[in-house]
PDB file of all heavy atoms in Angstrom:
ATOM      1  N   ASN M  81     176.081  13.436 289.709  1.00  0.00           N
ATOM      2  CA  ASN M  81     175.292  14.475 290.361  1.00  0.00           C
ATOM      3  C   ASN M  81     175.731  14.604 291.826  1.00  0.00           C
ATOM      4  O   ASN M  81     176.617  13.862 292.282  1.00  0.00           O
ATOM      5  CB  ASN M  81     173.777  14.209 290.224  1.00  0.00           C
ATOM      6  CG  ASN M  81     173.335  12.926 290.870  1.00  0.00           C
ATOM      7  OD1 ASN M  81     174.008  12.350 291.770  1.00  0.00           O
ATOM      8  ND2 ASN M  81     172.200  12.434 290.471  1.00  0.00           N
ATOM      9  N   LYS M  82     175.119  15.511 292.554  1.00  0.00           N
ATOM     10  CA  LYS M  82     175.583  15.784 293.929  1.00  0.00           C
ATOM     11  C   LYS M  82     175.394  14.568 294.847  1.00  0.00           C
ATOM     12  O   LYS M  82     176.070  14.439 295.837  1.00  0.00           O
ATOM     13  CB  LYS M  82     174.901  17.023 294.515  1.00  0.00           C
ATOM     14  CG  LYS M  82     173.427  16.931 294.675  1.00  0.00           C
ATOM     15  CD  LYS M  82     172.851  18.236 295.224  1.00  0.00           C
ATOM     16  CE  LYS M  82     171.347  18.185 295.310  1.00  0.00           C
ATOM     17  NZ  LYS M  82     170.783  19.424 295.790  1.00  0.00           N
ATOM     18  N   GLU M  83     174.449  13.656 294.491  1.00  0.00           N
ATOM     19  CA  GLU M  83     174.266  12.461 295.299  1.00  0.00           C
ATOM     20  C   GLU M  83     175.283  11.407 294.982  1.00  0.00           C
ATOM     21  O   GLU M  83     175.471  10.433 295.719  1.00  0.00           O
ATOM     22  CB  GLU M  83     172.855  11.854 295.056  1.00  0.00           C
ATOM     23  CG  GLU M  83     171.723  12.674 295.641  1.00  0.00           C
ATOM     24  CD  GLU M  83     171.306  13.833 294.757  1.00  0.00           C
ATOM     25  OE1 GLU M  83     171.601  13.831 293.514  1.00  0.00           O
ATOM     26  OE2 GLU M  83     170.741  14.815 295.277  1.00  0.00           O
ATOM     27  N   GLY M  84     175.967  11.539 293.811  1.00  0.00           N
ATOM     28  CA  GLY M  84     177.034  10.598 293.424  1.00  0.00           C
ATOM     29  C   GLY M  84     176.631   9.670 292.344  1.00  0.00           C
ATOM     30  O   GLY M  84     177.425   8.840 291.874  1.00  0.00           O
ATOM     31  N   ASP M  85     175.378   9.787 291.823  1.00  0.00           N
ATOM     32  CA  ASP M  85     174.952   8.917 290.725  1.00  0.00           C
ATOM     33  C   ASP M  85     175.523   9.447 289.395  1.00  0.00           C
ATOM     34  O   ASP M  85     175.578  10.680 289.194  1.00  0.00           O
ATOM     35  CB  ASP M  85     173.423   8.913 290.626  1.00  0.00           C
ATOM     36  CG  ASP M  85     172.782   8.287 291.874  1.00  0.00           C
ATOM     37  OD1 ASP M  85     173.248   7.216 292.305  1.00  0.00           O
ATOM     38  OD2 ASP M  85     171.819   8.886 292.375  1.00  0.00           O
ATOM     39  N   TRP M  86     175.903   8.559 288.498  1.00  0.00           N
ATOM     40  CA  TRP M  86     176.438   8.997 287.224  1.00  0.00           C
ATOM     41  C   TRP M  86     175.306   9.656 286.393  1.00  0.00           C
ATOM     42  O   TRP M  86     174.155   9.230 286.445  1.00  0.00           O
ATOM     43  CB  TRP M  86     177.103   7.873 286.439  1.00  0.00           C
ATOM     44  CG  TRP M  86     176.148   6.834 285.867  1.00  0.00           C
ATOM     45  CD1 TRP M  86     175.795   5.646 286.474  1.00  0.00           C
ATOM     46  CD2 TRP M  86     175.480   6.870 284.623  1.00  0.00           C
ATOM     47  NE1 TRP M  86     174.940   4.961 285.650  1.00  0.00           N
ATOM     48  CE2 TRP M  86     174.705   5.683 284.523  1.00  0.00           C
ATOM     49  CE3 TRP M  86     175.393   7.780 283.565  1.00  0.00           C
ATOM     50  CZ2 TRP M  86     173.904   5.407 283.414  1.00  0.00           C
ATOM     51  CZ3 TRP M  86     174.595   7.496 282.473  1.00  0.00           C
ATOM     52  CH2 TRP M  86     173.874   6.319 282.406  1.00  0.00           C
ATOM     53  N   THR M  87     175.685  10.729 285.688  1.00  0.00           N
ATOM     54  CA  THR M  87     174.737  11.389 284.777  1.00  0.00           C
ATOM     55  C   THR M  87     175.259  11.381 283.358  1.00  0.00           C
ATOM     56  O   THR M  87     174.480  11.558 282.412  1.00  0.00           O
ATOM     57  CB  THR M  87     174.443  12.839 285.205  1.00  0.00           C
ATOM     58  OG1 THR M  87     175.688  13.556 285.260  1.00  0.00           O
ATOM     59  CG2 THR M  87     173.756  12.873 286.566  1.00  0.00           C
ATOM     60  N   ASP M  88     176.583  11.170 283.174  1.00  0.00           N
ATOM     61  CA  ASP M  88     177.146  11.121 281.824  1.00  0.00           C
ATOM     62  C   ASP M  88     178.433  10.316 281.868  1.00  0.00           C
ATOM     63  O   ASP M  88     179.270  10.481 282.753  1.00  0.00           O
ATOM     64  CB  ASP M  88     177.452  12.547 281.344  1.00  0.00           C
ATOM     65  CG  ASP M  88     177.842  12.568 279.886  1.00  0.00           C
ATOM     66  OD1 ASP M  88     176.973  12.399 279.013  1.00  0.00           O
ATOM     67  OD2 ASP M  88     179.041  12.725 279.603  1.00  0.00           O
ATOM     68  N   VAL M  89     178.553   9.432 280.894  1.00  0.00           N
ATOM     69  CA  VAL M  89     179.798   8.658 280.707  1.00  0.00           C
ATOM     70  C   VAL M  89     180.165   8.825 279.248  1.00  0.00           C
ATOM     71  O   VAL M  89     179.408   8.441 278.365  1.00  0.00           O
ATOM     72  CB  VAL M  89     179.622   7.193 281.064  1.00  0.00           C
ATOM     73  CG1 VAL M  89     180.906   6.401 280.804  1.00  0.00           C
ATOM     74  CG2 VAL M  89     179.150   6.998 282.512  1.00  0.00           C
ATOM     75  N   ASN M  90     181.334   9.403 279.013  1.00  0.00           N
ATOM     76  CA  ASN M  90     181.746   9.737 277.663  1.00  0.00           C
ATOM     77  C   ASN M  90     183.076   9.087 277.380  1.00  0.00           C
ATOM     78  O   ASN M  90     184.076   9.365 278.029  1.00  0.00           O
ATOM     79  CB  ASN M  90     181.870  11.282 277.530  1.00  0.00           C
ATOM     80  CG  ASN M  90     182.108  11.734 276.111  1.00  0.00           C
ATOM     81  OD1 ASN M  90     182.230  10.948 275.187  1.00  0.00           O
ATOM     82  ND2 ASN M  90     182.273  13.031 275.949  1.00  0.00           N
ATOM     83  N   ALA M  91     183.076   8.164 276.389  1.00  0.00           N
ATOM     84  CA  ALA M  91     184.320   7.481 275.964  1.00  0.00           C
ATOM     85  C   ALA M  91     185.016   8.333 274.905  1.00  0.00           C
ATOM     86  O   ALA M  91     184.387   9.127 274.230  1.00  0.00           O
ATOM     87  CB  ALA M  91     183.965   6.112 275.409  1.00  0.00           C
ATOM     88  N   PRO M  92     186.306   8.144 274.739  1.00  0.00           N
ATOM     89  CA  PRO M  92     186.995   8.800 273.641  1.00  0.00           C
ATOM     90  C   PRO M  92     186.355   8.370 272.318  1.00  0.00           C
ATOM     91  O   PRO M  92     185.783   7.293 272.219  1.00  0.00           O
ATOM     92  CB  PRO M  92     188.443   8.308 273.762  1.00  0.00           C
ATOM     93  CG  PRO M  92     188.565   7.856 275.176  1.00  0.00           C
ATOM     94  CD  PRO M  92     187.218   7.344 275.562  1.00  0.00           C
ATOM     95  N   ASN M  93     186.511   9.225 271.305  1.00  0.00           N
ATOM     96  CA  ASN M  93     185.929   8.932 269.974  1.00  0.00           C
ATOM     97  C   ASN M  93     186.294   7.515 269.493  1.00  0.00           C
ATOM     98  O   ASN M  93     187.446   7.138 269.572  1.00  0.00           O
ATOM     99  CB  ASN M  93     186.361   9.943 268.935  1.00  0.00           C
ATOM    100  CG  ASN M  93     185.654  11.264 269.133  1.00  0.00           C
ATOM    101  OD1 ASN M  93     184.603  11.328 269.770  1.00  0.00           O
ATOM    102  ND2 ASN M  93     186.216  12.304 268.565  1.00  0.00           N
ATOM    103  N   GLY M  94     185.258   6.807 269.050  1.00  0.00           N
ATOM    104  CA  GLY M  94     185.474   5.475 268.482  1.00  0.00           C
ATOM    105  C   GLY M  94     185.478   4.380 269.537  1.00  0.00           C
ATOM    106  O   GLY M  94     185.450   3.200 269.181  1.00  0.00           O
ATOM    107  N   GLN M  95     185.545   4.731 270.805  1.00  0.00           N
ATOM    108  CA  GLN M  95     185.570   3.710 271.868  1.00  0.00           C
ATOM    109  C   GLN M  95     184.191   3.573 272.481  1.00  0.00           C
ATOM    110  O   GLN M  95     183.326   4.425 272.316  1.00  0.00           O
ATOM    111  CB  GLN M  95     186.608   4.056 272.918  1.00  0.00           C
ATOM    112  CG  GLN M  95     188.009   4.031 272.402  1.00  0.00           C
ATOM    113  CD  GLN M  95     189.028   4.283 273.553  1.00  0.00           C
ATOM    114  OE1 GLN M  95     188.789   3.884 274.709  1.00  0.00           O
ATOM    115  NE2 GLN M  95     190.118   4.899 273.241  1.00  0.00           N
ATOM    116  N   THR M  96     183.997   2.479 273.188  1.00  0.00           N
ATOM    117  CA  THR M  96     182.689   2.234 273.828  1.00  0.00           C
ATOM    118  C   THR M  96     182.836   2.288 275.345  1.00  0.00           C
ATOM    119  O   THR M  96     183.890   2.034 275.898  1.00  0.00           O
ATOM    120  CB  THR M  96     182.138   0.863 273.418  1.00  0.00           C
ATOM    121  OG1 THR M  96     183.067  -0.164 273.808  1.00  0.00           O
ATOM    122  CG2 THR M  96     181.923   0.745 271.920  1.00  0.00           C
ATOM    123  N   ILE M  97     181.679   2.597 275.956  1.00  0.00           N
ATOM    124  CA  ILE M  97     181.664   2.612 277.432  1.00  0.00           C
ATOM    125  C   ILE M  97     181.708   1.160 277.909  1.00  0.00           C
ATOM    126  O   ILE M  97     181.337   0.235 277.184  1.00  0.00           O
ATOM    127  CB  ILE M  97     180.398   3.318 277.968  1.00  0.00           C
ATOM    128  CG1 ILE M  97     179.115   2.583 277.573  1.00  0.00           C
ATOM    129  CG2 ILE M  97     180.364   4.777 277.474  1.00  0.00           C
ATOM    130  CD1 ILE M  97     177.858   3.070 278.257  1.00  0.00           C
ATOM    131  N   PRO M  98     182.174   0.919 279.136  1.00  0.00           N
ATOM    132  CA  PRO M  98     182.219  -0.452 279.657  1.00  0.00           C
ATOM    133  C   PRO M  98     180.852  -1.078 279.749  1.00  0.00           C
ATOM    134  O   PRO M  98     179.845  -0.409 280.042  1.00  0.00           O
ATOM    135  CB  PRO M  98     182.833  -0.260 281.045  1.00  0.00           C
ATOM    136  CG  PRO M  98     183.618   1.012 280.961  1.00  0.00           C
ATOM    137  CD  PRO M  98     182.808   1.875 280.042  1.00  0.00           C
ATOM    138  N   ASP M  99     180.817  -2.408 279.534  1.00  0.00           N
ATOM    139  CA  ASP M  99     179.579  -3.158 279.714  1.00  0.00           C
ATOM    140  C   ASP M  99     179.060  -3.012 281.138  1.00  0.00           C
ATOM    141  O   ASP M  99     179.845  -2.982 282.096  1.00  0.00           O
ATOM    142  CB  ASP M  99     179.776  -4.637 279.414  1.00  0.00           C
ATOM    143  CG  ASP M  99     180.086  -4.888 277.961  1.00  0.00           C
ATOM    144  OD1 ASP M  99     179.713  -4.070 277.093  1.00  0.00           O
ATOM    145  OD2 ASP M  99     180.671  -5.972 277.641  1.00  0.00           O
ATOM    146  N   GLY M 100     177.759  -2.899 281.283  1.00  0.00           N
ATOM    147  CA  GLY M 100     177.128  -2.834 282.598  1.00  0.00           C
ATOM    148  C   GLY M 100     176.749  -1.439 283.014  1.00  0.00           C
ATOM    149  O   GLY M 100     175.968  -1.269 283.960  1.00  0.00           O
ATOM    150  N   ILE M 101     177.246  -0.417 282.317  1.00  0.00           N
ATOM    151  CA  ILE M 101     176.857   0.965 282.676  1.00  0.00           C
ATOM    152  C   ILE M 101     175.472   1.276 282.125  1.00  0.00           C
ATOM    153  O   ILE M 101     174.608   1.758 282.848  1.00  0.00           O
ATOM    154  CB  ILE M 101     177.922   1.978 282.190  1.00  0.00           C
ATOM    155  CG1 ILE M 101     179.220   1.774 282.968  1.00  0.00           C
ATOM    156  CG2 ILE M 101     177.399   3.390 282.333  1.00  0.00           C
ATOM    157  CD1 ILE M 101     180.362   2.651 282.521  1.00  0.00           C
ATOM    158  N   ALA M 102     175.271   1.052 280.848  1.00  0.00           N
ATOM    159  CA  ALA M 102     173.973   1.316 280.232  1.00  0.00           C
ATOM    160  C   ALA M 102     172.953   0.327 280.769  1.00  0.00           C
ATOM    161  O   ALA M 102     173.294  -0.852 280.969  1.00  0.00           O
ATOM    162  CB  ALA M 102     174.065   1.221 278.721  1.00  0.00           C
ATOM    163  N   PRO M 103     171.713   0.752 281.016  1.00  0.00           N
ATOM    164  CA  PRO M 103     170.700  -0.216 281.425  1.00  0.00           C
ATOM    165  C   PRO M 103     170.615  -1.358 280.411  1.00  0.00           C
ATOM    166  O   PRO M 103     170.859  -1.149 279.198  1.00  0.00           O
ATOM    167  CB  PRO M 103     169.409   0.636 281.399  1.00  0.00           C
ATOM    168  CG  PRO M 103     169.883   2.022 281.660  1.00  0.00           C
ATOM    169  CD  PRO M 103     171.200   2.120 280.976  1.00  0.00           C
ATOM    170  N   GLU M 104     170.309  -2.541 280.874  1.00  0.00           N
ATOM    171  CA  GLU M 104     170.312  -3.749 280.031  1.00  0.00           C
ATOM    172  C   GLU M 104     169.440  -3.601 278.799  1.00  0.00           C
ATOM    173  O   GLU M 104     169.815  -4.023 277.710  1.00  0.00           O
ATOM    174  CB  GLU M 104     169.880  -4.953 280.878  1.00  0.00           C
ATOM    175  CG  GLU M 104     170.021  -6.272 280.139  1.00  0.00           C
ATOM    176  CD  GLU M 104     169.693  -7.440 281.027  1.00  0.00           C
ATOM    177  OE1 GLU M 104     169.508  -7.274 282.233  1.00  0.00           O
ATOM    178  OE2 GLU M 104     169.580  -8.567 280.455  1.00  0.00           O
ATOM    179  N   SER M 105     168.262  -2.991 278.951  1.00  0.00           N
ATOM    180  CA  SER M 105     167.341  -2.843 277.784  1.00  0.00           C
ATOM    181  C   SER M 105     167.963  -1.968 276.708  1.00  0.00           C
ATOM    182  O   SER M 105     167.780  -2.227 275.507  1.00  0.00           O
ATOM    183  CB  SER M 105     166.019  -2.276 278.255  1.00  0.00           C
ATOM    184  OG  SER M 105     166.161  -1.047 278.889  1.00  0.00           O
ATOM    185  N   ILE M 106     168.724  -0.941 277.106  1.00  0.00           N
ATOM    186  CA  ILE M 106     169.374  -0.087 276.126  1.00  0.00           C
ATOM    187  C   ILE M 106     170.501  -0.828 275.467  1.00  0.00           C
ATOM    188  O   ILE M 106     170.664  -0.800 274.215  1.00  0.00           O
ATOM    189  CB  ILE M 106     169.862   1.222 276.807  1.00  0.00           C
ATOM    190  CG1 ILE M 106     168.664   2.066 277.274  1.00  0.00           C
ATOM    191  CG2 ILE M 106     170.767   2.016 275.855  1.00  0.00           C
ATOM    192  CD1 ILE M 106     168.994   3.292 278.036  1.00  0.00           C
ATOM    193  N   ALA M 107     171.339  -1.511 276.244  1.00  0.00           N
ATOM    194  CA  ALA M 107     172.449  -2.264 275.679  1.00  0.00           C
ATOM    195  C   ALA M 107     171.918  -3.322 274.689  1.00  0.00           C
ATOM    196  O   ALA M 107     172.483  -3.533 273.596  1.00  0.00           O
ATOM    197  CB  ALA M 107     173.261  -2.918 276.797  1.00  0.00           C
ATOM    198  N   ASN M 108     170.832  -4.010 275.090  1.00  0.00           N
ATOM    199  CA  ASN M 108     170.232  -5.016 274.204  1.00  0.00           C
ATOM    200  C   ASN M 108     169.722  -4.395 272.893  1.00  0.00           C
ATOM    201  O   ASN M 108     169.918  -4.931 271.790  1.00  0.00           O
ATOM    202  CB  ASN M 108     169.109  -5.782 274.907  1.00  0.00           C
ATOM    203  CG  ASN M 108     169.622  -6.679 275.967  1.00  0.00           C
ATOM    204  OD1 ASN M 108     170.805  -7.067 275.986  1.00  0.00           O
ATOM    205  ND2 ASN M 108     168.760  -7.074 276.878  1.00  0.00           N
ATOM    206  N   TYR M 109     169.046  -3.255 273.002  1.00  0.00           N
ATOM    207  CA  TYR M 109     168.528  -2.575 271.808  1.00  0.00           C
ATOM    208  C   TYR M 109     169.650  -2.222 270.866  1.00  0.00           C
ATOM    209  O   TYR M 109     169.557  -2.462 269.651  1.00  0.00           O
ATOM    210  CB  TYR M 109     167.731  -1.304 272.209  1.00  0.00           C
ATOM    211  CG  TYR M 109     167.169  -0.603 270.984  1.00  0.00           C
ATOM    212  CD1 TYR M 109     165.892  -0.945 270.494  1.00  0.00           C
ATOM    213  CD2 TYR M 109     167.883   0.390 270.300  1.00  0.00           C
ATOM    214  CE1 TYR M 109     165.375  -0.332 269.399  1.00  0.00           C
ATOM    215  CE2 TYR M 109     167.375   1.007 269.204  1.00  0.00           C
ATOM    216  CZ  TYR M 109     166.128   0.647 268.740  1.00  0.00           C
ATOM    217  OH  TYR M 109     165.633   1.266 267.619  1.00  0.00           O
ATOM    218  N   VAL M 110     170.712  -1.674 271.388  1.00  0.00           N
ATOM    219  CA  VAL M 110     171.860  -1.271 270.542  1.00  0.00           C
ATOM    220  C   VAL M 110     172.481  -2.507 269.888  1.00  0.00           C
ATOM    221  O   VAL M 110     172.736  -2.490 268.701  1.00  0.00           O
ATOM    222  CB  VAL M 110     172.902  -0.463 271.357  1.00  0.00           C
ATOM    223  CG1 VAL M 110     174.175  -0.266 270.564  1.00  0.00           C
ATOM    224  CG2 VAL M 110     172.311   0.872 271.791  1.00  0.00           C
ATOM    225  N   SER M 111     172.706  -3.552 270.633  1.00  0.00           N
ATOM    226  CA  SER M 111     173.364  -4.747 270.053  1.00  0.00           C
ATOM    227  C   SER M 111     172.481  -5.430 269.025  1.00  0.00           C
ATOM    228  O   SER M 111     172.993  -5.975 268.050  1.00  0.00           O
ATOM    229  CB  SER M 111     173.807  -5.707 271.150  1.00  0.00           C
ATOM    230  OG  SER M 111     172.705  -6.278 271.813  1.00  0.00           O
ATOM    231  N   GLU M 112     171.161  -5.380 269.198  1.00  0.00           N
ATOM    232  CA  GLU M 112     170.262  -6.008 268.245  1.00  0.00           C
ATOM    233  C   GLU M 112     170.089  -5.168 266.979  1.00  0.00           C
ATOM    234  O   GLU M 112     169.998  -5.718 265.891  1.00  0.00           O
ATOM    235  CB  GLU M 112     168.903  -6.237 268.904  1.00  0.00           C
ATOM    236  CG  GLU M 112     168.906  -7.353 269.931  1.00  0.00           C
ATOM    237  CD  GLU M 112     167.612  -7.406 270.728  1.00  0.00           C
ATOM    238  OE1 GLU M 112     166.570  -6.799 270.308  1.00  0.00           O
ATOM    239  OE2 GLU M 112     167.617  -8.070 271.781  1.00  0.00           O
TER     240      GLU M 112
END
Side-chain angles (χ1 to χ4, degrees):
N81 63 21
K82 65 182 175 181
E83 289 81 21
D85 297 314
W86 71 267
T87 57
D88 189 74
V89 178
N90 187 1
N93 285 341
Q95 294 185 32
T96 60
I97 65 170
D99 291 339
I101 293 176
E104 187 175 350
S105 58
I106 294 174
N108 289 341
Y109 181 88
V110 170
S111 67
E112 290 170 15

